[in-house]
Amino acid sequence: MLKVLSGNKAAVYGAKLARVEVAAVYPITPQSQISEDITKVVAAGELDCDIIEVEGEHSAMSAIIGASTVGARTFTATSSWGLAYMNEPLMVCAGMRIPAVMVDVTRETPAQRGVSTSRQDVMTVRDCGWLELDPASPQEVLDCVLMAYRLAEDPEILLPVMVASDGFYMSHAYEPVDVPTQEQVDKFLAPVSGCKRTTFTDGKSMQFDVGYSGPNFVKYRYQTMKAIEKAKEKFPQIEKEFEEIFGRKYGGMVEEYFSGDAEIVLMTAGSASGNAKAVVDCARNEYGLKVGLIRERMFRPYPKEELRRILAGKKAVGIIDRSICVGWDCGHLMQETKAALFGMENAPKLVNFIDGLSSMDITIEHVERALAITMAAAKGEQVDECHWLSWED
Protein backbone atom coordinates (compact mmCIF):
# COMPACT_ATOMS: atom_id res chain seq x y z
CA MET A 1 0.00 0.00 0.00
CA LEU A 2 1.40 3.39 -1.02
CA LYS A 3 1.29 6.08 1.67
CA VAL A 4 2.89 9.51 2.03
CA LEU A 5 4.95 9.30 5.21
CA SER A 6 7.71 11.18 6.98
CA GLY A 7 10.80 9.32 8.08
CA ASN A 8 9.46 9.34 11.64
CA LYS A 9 6.08 7.90 10.64
CA ALA A 10 7.84 5.31 8.48
CA ALA A 11 9.81 4.19 11.53
CA VAL A 12 6.58 3.68 13.46
CA TYR A 13 5.12 1.64 10.61
CA GLY A 14 8.24 -0.52 10.73
CA ALA A 15 7.85 -1.11 14.47
CA LYS A 16 4.14 -1.84 14.07
CA LEU A 17 4.66 -4.34 11.24
CA ALA A 18 7.44 -6.02 13.22
CA ARG A 19 4.84 -6.61 15.96
CA VAL A 20 6.93 -5.09 18.74
CA GLU A 21 5.74 -6.16 22.18
CA VAL A 22 7.28 -3.51 24.41
CA ALA A 23 8.12 0.11 23.54
CA ALA A 24 9.68 2.73 25.80
CA VAL A 25 10.28 6.05 24.06
CA TYR A 26 10.87 9.48 25.61
CA PRO A 27 10.15 12.47 23.30
CA ILE A 28 12.91 14.75 22.08
CA THR A 29 13.23 16.91 18.96
CA PRO A 30 13.26 15.81 16.15
CA GLN A 31 12.22 12.31 17.26
CA SER A 32 9.09 13.25 19.25
CA GLN A 33 6.73 12.26 16.44
CA ILE A 34 7.87 8.65 16.84
CA SER A 35 7.09 8.55 20.57
CA GLU A 36 3.68 10.15 19.93
CA ASP A 37 2.69 7.93 17.01
CA ILE A 38 3.76 4.59 18.50
CA THR A 39 1.47 5.43 21.44
CA LYS A 40 -1.39 6.34 19.10
CA VAL A 41 -1.03 3.06 17.22
CA VAL A 42 -1.28 1.09 20.46
CA ALA A 43 -4.18 3.22 21.77
CA ALA A 44 -6.09 2.60 18.53
CA GLY A 45 -5.75 -1.14 19.02
CA GLU A 46 -3.61 -1.55 15.90
CA LEU A 47 -0.68 -3.06 17.82
CA ASP A 48 -0.63 -5.37 20.84
CA CYS A 49 2.24 -3.69 22.64
CA ASP A 50 2.99 -2.50 26.18
CA ILE A 51 3.99 1.17 26.30
CA ILE A 52 6.23 1.93 29.26
CA GLU A 53 5.99 5.58 30.30
CA VAL A 54 9.45 6.65 31.40
CA GLU A 55 10.86 9.84 32.85
CA GLY A 56 13.87 9.99 30.54
CA GLU A 57 16.05 8.22 28.03
CA HIS A 58 18.19 6.45 30.63
CA SER A 59 15.04 4.76 31.91
CA ALA A 60 13.81 4.07 28.37
CA MET A 61 16.88 2.03 27.50
CA SER A 62 16.87 0.33 30.91
CA ALA A 63 13.23 -0.69 30.39
CA ILE A 64 14.06 -2.08 26.96
CA ILE A 65 16.84 -4.18 28.45
CA GLY A 66 14.53 -5.56 31.13
CA ALA A 67 11.73 -6.37 28.69
CA SER A 68 14.11 -8.10 26.32
CA THR A 69 15.51 -10.34 29.05
CA VAL A 70 12.07 -11.96 29.39
CA GLY A 71 11.88 -12.51 25.62
CA ALA A 72 9.95 -9.46 24.35
CA ARG A 73 10.59 -7.84 20.98
CA THR A 74 11.42 -4.26 21.95
CA PHE A 75 11.58 -0.82 20.34
CA THR A 76 12.76 2.64 21.28
CA ALA A 77 13.88 5.86 19.62
CA THR A 78 15.81 8.96 20.61
CA SER A 79 17.96 11.82 19.40
CA SER A 80 20.96 13.95 20.40
CA TRP A 81 20.90 14.70 24.14
CA GLY A 82 18.61 11.72 24.64
CA LEU A 83 21.18 9.41 23.10
CA ALA A 84 23.86 10.96 25.29
CA TYR A 85 21.69 10.53 28.39
CA MET A 86 21.13 6.82 27.71
CA ASN A 87 24.83 6.18 27.11
CA GLU A 88 25.34 4.03 30.23
CA PRO A 89 22.50 1.53 29.59
CA LEU A 90 23.31 1.75 25.86
CA MET A 91 26.61 0.01 26.59
CA VAL A 92 24.93 -2.43 28.97
CA CYS A 93 22.44 -3.34 26.24
CA ALA A 94 25.21 -4.30 23.84
CA GLY A 95 27.26 -6.01 26.53
CA MET A 96 24.29 -8.18 27.49
CA ARG A 97 23.72 -9.07 23.82
CA ILE A 98 20.18 -7.64 23.88
CA PRO A 99 18.59 -7.83 20.38
CA ALA A 100 16.83 -4.46 20.64
CA VAL A 101 16.13 -2.03 17.80
CA MET A 102 16.34 1.74 18.17
CA VAL A 103 15.82 4.58 15.71
CA ASP A 104 18.13 7.51 16.38
CA VAL A 105 16.92 10.64 14.61
CA THR A 106 20.26 12.34 14.23
CA ARG A 107 20.86 15.83 15.61
CA GLU A 108 23.64 18.03 16.89
CA THR A 109 24.93 17.18 20.36
CA PRO A 110 25.07 19.45 23.46
CA ALA A 111 28.32 21.05 22.30
CA GLN A 112 27.21 24.54 21.20
CA ARG A 113 23.64 23.43 22.08
CA GLY A 114 22.50 22.67 18.57
CA VAL A 115 18.83 21.86 17.90
CA SER A 116 19.69 21.22 14.29
CA THR A 117 20.78 18.73 11.69
CA SER A 118 23.99 16.74 12.07
CA ARG A 119 25.13 13.15 12.46
CA GLN A 120 27.29 14.07 15.45
CA ASP A 121 25.14 12.30 18.04
CA VAL A 122 25.26 8.86 16.49
CA MET A 123 29.01 9.15 15.93
CA THR A 124 29.61 9.69 19.64
CA VAL A 125 28.36 6.15 20.40
CA ARG A 126 30.10 4.25 17.60
CA ASP A 127 32.10 2.15 20.09
CA CYS A 128 29.18 1.17 22.35
CA GLY A 129 28.79 -2.21 20.64
CA TRP A 130 25.61 -1.47 18.66
CA LEU A 131 25.28 -2.31 14.99
CA GLU A 132 24.26 0.69 12.87
CA LEU A 133 22.30 1.02 9.62
CA ASP A 134 22.12 4.35 7.76
CA PRO A 135 19.04 4.78 5.52
CA ALA A 136 18.66 7.58 2.98
CA SER A 137 14.87 7.97 2.63
CA PRO A 138 11.63 7.38 4.58
CA GLN A 139 11.11 4.20 2.56
CA GLU A 140 14.51 2.93 3.59
CA VAL A 141 13.84 3.89 7.22
CA LEU A 142 10.85 1.53 7.29
CA ASP A 143 12.75 -1.20 5.48
CA CYS A 144 15.82 -0.82 7.69
CA VAL A 145 13.72 -1.19 10.84
CA LEU A 146 12.44 -4.53 9.52
CA MET A 147 15.93 -5.66 8.52
CA ALA A 148 17.26 -4.50 11.90
CA TYR A 149 14.98 -6.94 13.75
CA ARG A 150 15.99 -9.75 11.44
CA LEU A 151 19.66 -8.96 12.04
CA ALA A 152 19.46 -8.28 15.79
CA GLU A 153 17.55 -11.48 16.55
CA ASP A 154 19.65 -13.77 14.39
CA PRO A 155 20.97 -16.50 16.75
CA GLU A 156 24.53 -15.88 15.51
CA ILE A 157 24.29 -12.12 16.11
CA LEU A 158 22.06 -11.24 19.11
CA LEU A 159 23.15 -7.61 19.26
CA PRO A 160 21.19 -4.34 19.36
CA VAL A 161 20.80 -2.44 16.08
CA MET A 162 20.49 1.31 15.65
CA VAL A 163 18.82 2.84 12.58
CA ALA A 164 20.23 6.36 12.11
CA SER A 165 17.68 8.59 10.35
CA ASP A 166 18.86 12.09 9.43
CA GLY A 167 17.10 14.62 11.61
CA PHE A 168 14.73 17.10 9.92
CA TYR A 169 15.90 16.33 6.37
CA MET A 170 14.58 12.78 6.60
CA SER A 171 12.57 12.64 9.83
CA HIS A 172 10.19 15.38 8.67
CA ALA A 173 10.37 14.88 4.90
CA TYR A 174 7.17 13.38 3.51
CA GLU A 175 7.60 11.03 0.56
CA PRO A 176 5.67 8.16 -1.01
CA VAL A 177 6.39 4.98 0.94
CA ASP A 178 5.39 1.49 -0.11
CA VAL A 179 4.08 0.00 3.13
CA PRO A 180 4.26 -3.81 2.98
CA THR A 181 1.50 -6.11 4.15
CA GLN A 182 1.55 -7.79 7.55
CA GLU A 183 1.74 -11.15 5.81
CA GLN A 184 4.91 -10.14 3.96
CA VAL A 185 6.59 -8.92 7.13
CA ASP A 186 5.59 -12.00 9.08
CA LYS A 187 7.15 -14.14 6.36
CA PHE A 188 10.35 -12.08 6.41
CA LEU A 189 10.71 -12.19 10.20
CA ALA A 190 9.60 -15.82 10.52
CA PRO A 191 13.20 -17.18 10.66
CA VAL A 192 13.80 -15.28 13.92
CA SER A 193 10.29 -15.37 15.38
CA GLY A 194 11.27 -18.35 17.54
CA CYS A 195 14.83 -17.18 18.12
CA LYS A 196 16.48 -19.11 20.93
CA ARG A 197 18.18 -16.78 23.36
CA THR A 198 18.76 -16.71 27.09
CA THR A 199 15.74 -15.23 28.87
CA PHE A 200 14.34 -15.27 32.38
CA THR A 201 12.07 -18.27 32.95
CA ASP A 202 9.64 -18.88 35.79
CA GLY A 203 11.03 -21.27 38.35
CA LYS A 204 14.54 -21.22 36.93
CA SER A 205 17.50 -19.69 38.73
CA MET A 206 19.40 -17.33 36.38
CA GLN A 207 21.82 -14.43 36.41
CA PHE A 208 22.07 -11.54 33.96
CA ASP A 209 24.72 -8.87 33.57
CA VAL A 210 27.06 -10.49 36.09
CA GLY A 211 30.25 -8.59 36.88
CA TYR A 212 33.05 -10.49 35.15
CA SER A 213 36.79 -10.09 35.35
CA GLY A 214 39.84 -11.79 33.95
CA PRO A 215 39.48 -14.54 31.33
CA ASN A 216 35.68 -14.60 31.45
CA PHE A 217 35.45 -10.90 30.67
CA VAL A 218 37.89 -11.30 27.78
CA LYS A 219 35.92 -14.29 26.48
CA TYR A 220 32.66 -12.34 26.31
CA ARG A 221 34.38 -9.37 24.71
CA TYR A 222 35.88 -11.69 22.12
CA GLN A 223 32.52 -13.31 21.40
CA THR A 224 30.89 -9.90 20.98
CA MET A 225 33.55 -8.79 18.50
CA LYS A 226 33.08 -11.97 16.50
CA ALA A 227 29.30 -11.47 16.43
CA ILE A 228 29.75 -7.90 15.19
CA GLU A 229 32.01 -9.11 12.37
CA LYS A 230 29.51 -11.89 11.58
CA ALA A 231 26.99 -9.18 10.74
CA LYS A 232 28.97 -8.42 7.58
CA GLU A 233 28.16 -11.91 6.37
CA LYS A 234 24.54 -11.94 7.57
CA PHE A 235 23.37 -8.54 6.33
CA PRO A 236 23.79 -9.22 2.58
CA GLN A 237 21.91 -12.51 3.05
CA ILE A 238 19.10 -10.70 4.85
CA GLU A 239 18.89 -8.09 2.10
CA LYS A 240 18.66 -10.79 -0.54
CA GLU A 241 15.70 -12.37 1.25
CA PHE A 242 14.20 -8.92 1.72
CA GLU A 243 14.34 -8.32 -2.04
CA GLU A 244 12.70 -11.67 -2.75
CA ILE A 245 9.74 -10.83 -0.51
CA PHE A 246 9.35 -7.07 -0.94
CA GLY A 247 10.93 -6.43 -4.35
CA ARG A 248 13.29 -3.71 -3.12
CA LYS A 249 17.07 -3.76 -2.84
CA TYR A 250 19.62 -1.23 -1.67
CA GLY A 251 23.03 -2.71 -2.45
CA GLY A 252 24.12 -4.28 0.82
CA MET A 253 26.53 -2.60 3.21
CA VAL A 254 27.66 -0.11 0.54
CA GLU A 255 25.40 1.16 -2.23
CA GLU A 256 27.22 1.67 -5.54
CA TYR A 257 26.05 4.26 -8.06
CA PHE A 258 27.96 4.22 -11.35
CA SER A 259 31.11 3.35 -9.42
CA GLY A 260 32.16 0.41 -11.60
CA ASP A 261 33.99 2.36 -14.33
CA ALA A 262 34.47 5.53 -12.29
CA GLU A 263 37.89 7.05 -11.78
CA ILE A 264 36.56 9.62 -9.32
CA VAL A 265 34.15 8.59 -6.55
CA LEU A 266 32.09 10.61 -4.10
CA MET A 267 31.21 9.01 -0.76
CA THR A 268 28.18 9.90 1.33
CA ALA A 269 25.85 8.59 4.03
CA GLY A 270 22.18 9.25 4.68
CA SER A 271 20.01 11.89 3.01
CA ALA A 272 22.91 13.75 1.35
CA SER A 273 23.07 11.00 -1.25
CA GLY A 274 20.21 12.39 -3.35
CA ASN A 275 21.95 15.62 -4.33
CA ALA A 276 25.23 13.78 -4.74
CA LYS A 277 23.62 11.37 -7.23
CA ALA A 278 22.24 14.34 -9.18
CA VAL A 279 25.75 15.77 -9.47
CA VAL A 280 27.10 12.40 -10.63
CA ASP A 281 24.34 12.18 -13.28
CA CYS A 282 25.20 15.65 -14.59
CA ALA A 283 28.94 14.97 -14.65
CA ARG A 284 28.47 11.76 -16.62
CA ASN A 285 25.67 12.80 -18.98
CA GLU A 286 26.70 16.38 -19.79
CA TYR A 287 30.48 16.22 -19.49
CA GLY A 288 31.28 12.55 -20.04
CA LEU A 289 33.25 12.30 -16.81
CA LYS A 290 33.89 8.90 -15.24
CA VAL A 291 32.41 9.81 -11.88
CA GLY A 292 30.53 7.58 -9.46
CA LEU A 293 29.19 7.48 -5.93
CA ILE A 294 29.17 5.08 -3.01
CA ARG A 295 26.86 5.36 -0.02
CA GLU A 296 27.77 3.83 3.32
CA ARG A 297 24.70 1.92 4.55
CA MET A 298 26.23 -0.01 7.43
CA PHE A 299 28.46 2.01 9.73
CA ARG A 300 28.89 -0.67 12.38
CA PRO A 301 30.54 -2.96 11.64
CA TYR A 302 32.43 -0.77 9.20
CA PRO A 303 32.50 -2.45 5.76
CA LYS A 304 36.24 -2.09 5.26
CA GLU A 305 36.59 -5.15 3.02
CA GLU A 306 33.82 -3.91 0.71
CA LEU A 307 35.38 -0.45 0.51
CA ARG A 308 38.78 -1.87 -0.37
CA ARG A 309 37.18 -3.90 -3.16
CA ILE A 310 35.10 -1.04 -4.54
CA LEU A 311 37.80 1.63 -4.35
CA ALA A 312 40.63 -0.47 -5.83
CA GLY A 313 42.01 1.33 -8.87
CA LYS A 314 40.20 4.63 -8.24
CA LYS A 315 42.19 7.84 -8.51
CA ALA A 316 40.49 9.89 -5.81
CA VAL A 317 37.55 9.76 -3.40
CA GLY A 318 35.68 12.83 -2.12
CA ILE A 319 34.17 11.96 1.27
CA ILE A 320 31.28 14.15 2.43
CA ASP A 321 30.81 14.16 6.21
CA ARG A 322 27.93 15.56 8.27
CA SER A 323 29.88 15.30 11.52
CA ILE A 324 33.31 16.23 12.82
CA CYS A 325 35.83 13.84 14.32
CA VAL A 326 37.11 16.09 17.09
CA GLY A 327 40.87 15.89 17.43
CA TRP A 328 41.42 14.53 13.92
CA ASP A 329 40.64 17.62 11.77
CA CYS A 330 38.26 15.59 9.61
CA GLY A 331 34.88 13.89 9.59
CA HIS A 332 34.09 10.39 10.83
CA LEU A 333 33.65 8.79 7.41
CA MET A 334 37.02 10.18 6.43
CA GLN A 335 38.72 8.77 9.53
CA GLU A 336 37.11 5.34 9.18
CA THR A 337 37.74 5.08 5.45
CA LYS A 338 41.36 6.16 5.79
CA ALA A 339 41.83 3.42 8.39
CA ALA A 340 40.03 0.88 6.17
CA LEU A 341 42.32 1.59 3.22
CA PHE A 342 45.55 1.69 5.25
CA GLY A 343 48.26 -0.40 3.61
CA MET A 344 46.27 -0.83 0.40
CA GLU A 345 48.47 -0.84 -2.66
CA ASN A 346 47.81 2.16 -4.93
CA ALA A 347 45.11 3.46 -2.61
CA PRO A 348 43.12 6.41 -3.98
CA LYS A 349 43.69 9.95 -2.79
CA LEU A 350 41.15 10.83 -0.08
CA VAL A 351 39.70 14.33 0.23
CA ASN A 352 37.28 15.24 3.02
CA PHE A 353 34.38 17.71 2.96
CA ILE A 354 32.52 18.85 6.09
CA ASP A 355 29.04 20.10 5.27
CA GLY A 356 25.41 20.06 6.38
CA LEU A 357 25.98 20.96 10.03
CA SER A 358 23.49 23.00 12.07
CA SER A 359 20.62 22.71 9.57
CA MET A 360 22.83 23.78 6.67
CA ASP A 361 21.89 21.96 3.49
CA ILE A 362 24.34 19.86 1.50
CA THR A 363 23.44 21.58 -1.75
CA ILE A 364 24.09 20.56 -5.33
CA GLU A 365 26.45 23.54 -5.62
CA HIS A 366 28.43 22.31 -2.61
CA VAL A 367 28.68 18.80 -4.01
CA GLU A 368 29.79 20.19 -7.38
CA ARG A 369 32.58 22.08 -5.62
CA ALA A 370 33.56 18.93 -3.73
CA LEU A 371 33.71 17.02 -7.01
CA ALA A 372 35.87 19.71 -8.64
CA ILE A 373 38.36 19.62 -5.76
CA THR A 374 38.43 15.81 -5.80
CA MET A 375 39.10 15.83 -9.56
CA ALA A 376 41.97 18.24 -9.00
CA ALA A 377 43.43 15.86 -6.41
CA ALA A 378 43.08 12.99 -8.90
CA LYS A 379 45.18 14.98 -11.38
CA GLY A 380 47.94 15.33 -8.83
CA GLU A 381 47.23 18.93 -7.88
CA GLN A 382 47.92 20.00 -4.30
CA VAL A 383 44.66 20.34 -2.36
CA ASP A 384 43.89 20.51 1.34
CA GLU A 385 42.83 17.20 2.86
CA CYS A 386 39.78 18.69 4.61
CA HIS A 387 37.40 21.40 3.35
CA TRP A 388 34.51 23.06 5.23
CA LEU A 389 32.13 23.76 2.37
CA SER A 390 29.58 25.94 4.20
CA TRP A 391 32.24 27.92 6.05
CA GLU A 392 34.25 28.50 2.88
CA ASP A 393 31.34 30.15 1.06
Side-chain angles (χ1 to χ4, degrees):
M1 180 186 300
L2 198 64
K3 290 181 175 288
V4 178
L5 302 175
S6 67
N8 281 346
K9 287 184 176 291
V12 174
Y13 266 91
K16 173 188 171 183
L17 289 165
R19 298 183 187 271
V20 298
E21 297 164 302
V22 176
V25 187
Y26 192 82
I28 182 171
T29 302
Q31 169 275 116
S32 297
Q33 191 178 42
I34 295 178
S35 59
E36 294 166 356
D37 282 9
I38 192 71
T39 304
K40 290 178 183 178
V41 167
V42 173
E46 299 174 14
L47 176 64
D48 183 11
C49 172
D50 289 322
I51 300 290
I52 302 178
E53 296 184 12
V54 293
E55 70 276 14
E57 291 82 1
H58 191 284
S59 297
M61 182 53 59
S62 299
I64 291 304
I65 293 171
S68 186
T69 58
V70 294
R73 176 172 286 169
T74 59
F75 175 77
T76 189
T78 192
S79 181
S80 186
W81 293 35
L83 187 63
Y85 186 33
M86 66 167 59
N87 189 269
E88 179 187 10
L90 197 75
M91 289 185 282
V92 173
C93 187
M96 290 178 64
R97 305 287 293 275
I98 299 294
V101 170
M102 173 169 65
V103 175
D104 178 69
V105 184
T106 65
R107 194 190 106 184
E108 278 289 1
T109 47
Q112 283 100 35
R113 197 177 179 84
V115 186
S116 51
T117 301
S118 169
R119 294 179 63 83
Q120 195 70 29
D121 61 346
V122 76
M123 293 302 170
T124 65
V125 298
R126 55 180 171 161
D127 293 327
C128 279
W130 284 61
L131 307 182
E132 180 187 324
L133 303 180
D134 292 343
S137 67
Q139 178 73 70
E140 196 176 354
V141 169
L142 190 159
D143 294 346
C144 275
V145 168
L146 299 178
M147 285 187 271
Y149 280 107
R150 181 66 186 274
L151 182 61
E153 296 175 8
D154 186 288
E156 295 185 80
I157 304 297
L158 293 180
L159 284 166
V161 180
M162 189 181 308
V163 177
S165 170
D166 284 355
F168 301 102
Y169 281 96
M170 203 147 66
S171 62
H172 288 66
Y174 280 78
E175 296 181 1
V177 174
D178 183 3
V179 179
T181 66
Q182 188 65 65
E183 291 73 19
Q184 286 176 307
V185 176
D186 288 346
K187 181 180 179 182
F188 177 65
L189 294 181
V192 293
S193 60
C195 171
K196 294 182 179 180
R197 66 180 197 262
T198 304
T199 57
F200 278 120
T201 306
D202 288 342
K204 186 177 180 180
S205 177
M206 302 183 69
Q207 288 182 316
F208 273 83
D209 197 25
V210 177
Y212 289 105
S213 61
N216 281 335
F217 183 87
V218 176
K219 179 183 74 173
Y220 286 118
R221 280 296 204 192
Y222 174 82
Q223 290 174 339
T224 299
M225 289 283 280
K226 288 299 180 183
I228 292 172
E229 287 298 305
K230 187 72 174 179
K232 295 179 185 177
E233 175 187 327
K234 290 287 184 175
F235 189 63
Q237 297 173 6
I238 290 170
E239 276 217 321
K240 183 178 180 181
E241 293 184 40
F242 186 91
E243 180 186 357
E244 292 172 355
I245 295 174
F246 302 100
R248 290 186 293 278
K249 61 179 179 180
Y250 295 98
M253 295 178 287
V254 180
E255 179 193 10
E256 297 187 62
Y257 189 76
F258 292 113
S259 62
D261 67 341
E263 297 176 345
I264 311 297
V265 174
L266 294 175
M267 182 178 182
T268 60
S271 59
S273 306
N275 280 348
K277 286 180 178 179
V279 171
V280 168
D281 289 342
C282 180
R284 294 183 74 94
N285 298 333
E286 295 189 22
Y287 302 103
L289 300 174
K290 290 185 177 181
V291 175
L293 177 138
I294 59 173
R295 175 171 69 92
E296 168 266 304
R297 295 191 61 243
M298 176 178 268
F299 186 75
R300 279 293 180 269
Y302 203 67
K304 55 181 181 291
E305 297 85 1
E306 274 289 277
L307 288 174
R308 291 174 74 93
R309 176 188 65 80
I310 294 169
L311 297 179
K314 309 304 181 188
K315 293 182 178 179
V317 183
I319 301 173
I320 301 175
D321 266 298
R322 208 165 205 154
S323 62
I324 58 170
C325 191
V326 180
W328 276 92
D329 192 26
C330 67
H332 292 89
L333 286 181
M334 177 66 167
Q335 185 201 47
E336 300 264 344
T337 303
K338 183 181 286 189
L341 301 187
F342 179 76
M344 179 178 170
E345 187 175 352
N346 297 322
K349 173 72 175 178
L350 303 182
V351 189
N352 194 207
F353 302 95
I354 308 295
D355 203 16
L357 307 183
S358 188
S359 295
M360 299 292 289
D361 196 5
I362 299 179
T363 66
I364 285 179
E365 293 73 21
H366 285 183
V367 179
E368 287 175 338
R369 191 176 343 136
L371 177 58
I373 295 172
T374 305
M375 291 178 62
K379 294 176 183 177
E381 298 180 23
Q382 187 67 35
V383 301
D384 292 338
E385 185 176 75
C386 183
H387 302 258
W388 289 62
L389 294 177
S390 300
W391 183 250
E392 292 172 358
D393 276 344

